[in-house]
Amino acid sequence: YIQEVINKLPDYAEDLKEEIESIITDTLISCSDSMAEKVAKEIHRKYKPYAKSQYKVHQRLHSKVNHLWKQPLAFFRAYLSFAYEIWMNSLEAEHETSNNQTDKFEAVTRITAKSIQIGEEIFLLLSHGYADGAQGRWRSLHELTVYSYFLSTHDNELSKRYLDHEIMEHWKAIKDHNDYCKKFDDEPISHIETQQAEEEAKALLKIYGDSYANDRGWASECLGKKRPSFKDIETKSDFGHIRPYYTDSNHNIHGGASGVISRVGLYEGEGQSTILSGPSYTGISYPAELTINSISQVVCSALTLTSSWDCVIAGNTLRILGDIAIDLFLSTELEITERDGMLEQSPFEVTDN
């Protein structure tokens, strides 16, 4: 019996070791949770002076960006306001001449409104030194620009399909929510609302066909494709030449390696040795140029809904002002690049020496 006990000693020792390790792990977790809670409470108690100091850091950088880019940013601000006024002044004339094109008028109007809002967001991002964020927002603006042109150059039926597709998207969103709501401790959408959304979606499928359920299914019949891609609509609208810039902007939306290495806010090739974690002074002109061209295009697409000669002149004026704004950004970028050695590094740039 004694020998049997002796033979089992290694197993007893291993069990004891595992028990001790478990006790130590549980103790460390308990201690770390307690310490983390104390640290969090202390930070919460003293966060105001820290937040104030960080606000000053960002304000100094914001002021530096606006000093370096003062003229192009000021002109860009005026350009966006002018684009808005042109569009607003045209709305009454467009509404009077829309006649049986009410769906087209609504679709293009809503797209234009959102496009101008995104233009304002991009201005704020650029004026605070966030070139990468501005490029990411331009991606959405480009999609709206393409859709605006596509709808404005086709019949009212296509715009109706586009607007009705919100019902399909709403139904899909409800299904996704109900499938995953338990994972984030939320309640499912009520059965009545879910059933109503499904009935409305299926009613549209009877009218437009099964392909209407697909992403961008509203364009299926027009393009002759069951699953039209954005690229299909882009090409059909003669925006295919913008595809490289759109693809490039995807890097600032998705989590691929290109988006974390190659940064708009850094000089070309600098991304291999420098990590950018906040605003910077450079790269402003690239998303600004893309934005200006898109705003001009989306407003001009809206202006085509009326035959007013005033709108034609206004659209051409907007394009000319856009070219002036772009030249100001490019010339300023060149000046900054030439005197790079005299510029202090952004506090959010970390260089690997």
Side-chain angles (χ1 to χ4, degrees):
Y1 173 77
I2 294 175
Q3 185 62 45
E4 184 179 345
V5 172
I6 292 173
N7 291 338
K8 291 183 177 180
L9 281 178
D11 294 333
Y12 293 151
E14 184 65 29
D15 291 342
L16 181 61
K17 177 185 176 184
E18 291 179 0
E19 186 175 350
I20 292 173
E21 288 178 347
S22 176
I23 293 173
I24 292 174
T25 300
D26 291 342
T27 303
L28 288 174
I29 291 175
S30 177
C31 289
S32 65
D33 289 344
S34 177
M35 291 175 63
E37 186 174 349
K38 290 180 180 179
V39 172
K41 286 182 178 179
E42 185 66 12
I43 292 175
H44 181 243
R45 188 172 69 87
K46 298 181 177 180
Y47 82 92
K48 288 185 178 180
Y50 175 74
K52 187 176 181 180
S53 67
Q54 289 301 302
Y55 176 78
K56 289 181 178 179
V57 170
H58 282 268
Q59 278 298 103
R60 284 197 296 270
L61 197 142
H62 172 52
S63 298
K64 185 66 176 290
V65 170
N66 279 269
H67 172 71
L68 292 170
W69 296 88
K70 181 178 180 180
Q71 189 175 7
L73 283 175
F75 197 86
F76 186 28
R77 170 67 277 157
Y79 167 84
L80 288 173
S81 298
F82 184 62
Y84 173 76
E85 290 182 13
I86 287 176
W87 172 61
M88 288 299 293
N89 290 336
S90 71
L91 282 181
E92 185 176 350
E94 289 174 8
H95 188 66
E96 290 175 353
T97 58
S98 60
N99 296 324
N100 295 323
Q101 304 289 309
T102 54
D103 294 302
K104 182 189 287 191
F105 174 78
E106 180 181 354
V108 174
T109 297
R110 289 184 178 276
I111 289 174
T112 307
K114 185 172 182 178
S115 298
I116 290 176
Q117 181 185 39
I118 292 177
E120 295 288 347
E121 294 171 6
I122 291 173
F123 172 79
L124 286 176
L125 288 167
L126 292 178
S127 63
H128 284 77
Y130 292 100
D132 290 272
Q135 187 198 29
R137 291 305 289 138
W138 171 79
R139 179 183 182 271
S140 297
L141 177 58
H142 173 63
E143 291 182 0
L144 292 169
T145 303
V146 170
Y147 289 161
S148 178
Y149 181 85
F150 188 56
L151 295 175
S152 66
T153 54
H154 286 80
D155 59 18
N156 189 70
E157 175 65 20
L158 181 62
S159 291
K160 179 171 174 50
R161 287 170 177 259
Y162 172 81
L163 294 172
D164 285 347
H165 206 260
E166 189 272 337
I167 294 174
M168 300 301 304
E169 294 165 6
H170 179 60
W171 180 38
K172 290 180 181 180
I174 287 178
K175 290 194 296 181
D176 285 343
H177 176 88
N178 289 345
D179 287 343
Y180 299 105
C181 63
K182 290 183 179 180
K183 291 184 179 292
F184 46 87
D185 297 325
D186 200 357
E187 295 295 324
I189 304 298
S190 69
H191 175 71
I192 295 176
E193 186 176 348
T194 300
Q195 187 176 32
Q196 181 180 354
E198 182 177 0
E199 290 174 356
E200 290 176 351
K202 289 185 175 180
L204 288 177
L205 293 179
K206 289 182 179 180
I207 298 173
Y208 298 133
D210 293 339
S211 61
Y212 190 72
N214 300 326
D215 291 342
R216 293 167 295 277
W218 53 271
S220 293
E221 183 174 292
C222 179
L223 296 175
K225 292 189 174 185
K226 290 184 177 181
R227 295 182 178 273
S229 65
F230 174 69
K231 185 178 181 180
D232 294 328
I233 301 174
E234 190 180 47
T235 302
K236 182 71 173 179
S237 302
D238 294 326
F239 281 96
H241 59 289
I242 308 296
R243 170 57 46 166
Y245 303 102
Y246 178 75
T247 301
D248 186 41
S249 70
N250 287 336
H251 299 317
N252 268 321
I253 297 295
H254 305 303
S258 294
V260 299
I261 296 176
S262 300
R263 310 297 303 280
V264 180
L266 295 174
Y267 289 115
E268 186 175 354
E270 196 179 11
Q272 295 292 339
S273 60
T274 305
I275 296 175
L276 180 64
S277 61
S280 67
Y281 309 126
T282 59
I284 304 296
S285 66
Y286 178 47
E289 180 178 3
L290 294 172
T291 300
I292 291 165
N293 284 329
S294 292
I295 291 292
S296 291
Q297 183 61 65
V298 78
V299 171
C300 286
S301 292
L303 294 180
T304 61
L305 300 185
T306 177
S307 56
S308 168
W309 184 247
D310 289 341
C311 289
V312 174
I313 296 174
N316 290 335
T317 302
L318 185 63
R319 291 181 187 276
I320 295 171
L321 291 175
D323 291 338
I324 295 173
I326 290 171
D327 288 341
L328 286 173
F329 274 107
L330 294 177
S331 60
T332 301
E333 183 85 57
L334 181 60
E335 290 176 9
I336 292 175
T337 303
E338 289 177 345
R339 57 175 175 163
D340 177 49
M342 295 182 286
L343 281 178
E344 63 182 51
Q345 192 177 43
S346 164
F348 298 94
E349 294 180 34
V350 180
T351 304
D352 181 11
N353 294 320

